[in-house]
Amino acid sequence: MSRIGKKPIDIPAGVTVTIDRNTVSVAGPKGKLEQELHYKAVVSVDGNVVNVDRKDETKISKSVHGLTRTLISNMVTGVTQGYTKKLDIVGVGYRVAQKGTDLDLSLGFSHPVVVTPPAGIELKAETQTKIAVIGIDKQLVGQVAADIRKLREPEPYKGKGIRYEGEYILRKAGKTGKK
């Protein structure tokens, strides 16, 4: 039995969880999320608790059991608290500016890079070197943050680039001169 899959999910006040065939919908104060379920997962709502079971003991059922529970738990957390990923910009002349809902990034290219957020995501330039990606869908927040980081990944020699807040970049020694 999956240790994660067998844990019940508590539904906080103000959140509704509905199951329609193979789709779970979670609505809360911050918004609404939907997720399609795998056909081997069985989800039931008992009062203010969601339970996840599996149809049989096949390998695919076992692997989907914990995943389904975690996805639903992330949806409940997203509609109540939301998710935030923070990015730091390191480098001389590298900076970010807020242009309405878009971000205008200066990353050492010959042109500025404009990032437009997808639906359900809010981008904030907290300072000239800090970006916050905010949303209710954990997967989408992480993907948008990864896409922004990919614009200028941190390089190992000087450490310049866009990195996650608190990320440690393993530094390499540069070339040594001839003697």
Side-chain angles (χ1 to χ4, degrees), residues 7-43:
K7 290 181 184 176
I9 303 166
D10 294 325
I11 302 171
V15 176
T16 59
V17 177
T18 56
I19 301 166
D20 181 37
R21 292 187 200 158
N22 66 339
T23 304
V24 174
S25 299
V26 179
K30 291 202 176 243
K32 183 179 179 182
L33 291 172
E34 287 188 354
Q35 177 73 41
E36 277 196 40
L37 298 174
H38 194 274
Y39 69 96
K40 294 277 188 174
V42 178
V43 179

Side-chain angles (χ1 to χ4, degrees), residues 90-149:
V90 177
V92 177
Y94 290 12
R95 64 180 140 290
V96 62
Q98 188 88 38
K99 298 274 175 120
T101 59
D102 298 347
L103 291 181
D104 191 18
L105 296 158
S106 298
L107 300 173
F109 298 121
S110 62
H111 59 283
V113 179
V114 178
V115 178
T116 304
I121 295 293
E122 179 186 353
L123 297 176
K124 249 187 220 175
E126 295 178 335
T127 64
Q128 283 190 341
T129 59
K130 294 201 182 287
I131 301 170
V133 181
I134 303 164
I136 62 173
D137 187 353
K138 185 175 187 177
Q139 186 175 351
L140 188 59
V141 168
Q143 185 62 52
V144 170
D147 290 343
I148 292 173
R149 182 180 182 271

Side-chain angles (χ1 to χ4, degrees), residues 22 27 33 49 57 67 70 75 88 93 103 127 130 141 146 154 161 165-166 172:
N22 66 339
L33 291 172
V49 174
E57 295 298 315
L67 172 69
T70 303
M75 290 167 61
D88 292 333
L103 291 181
T127 64
K130 294 201 182 287
V141 168
E165 188 177 62
K172 293 182 179 179

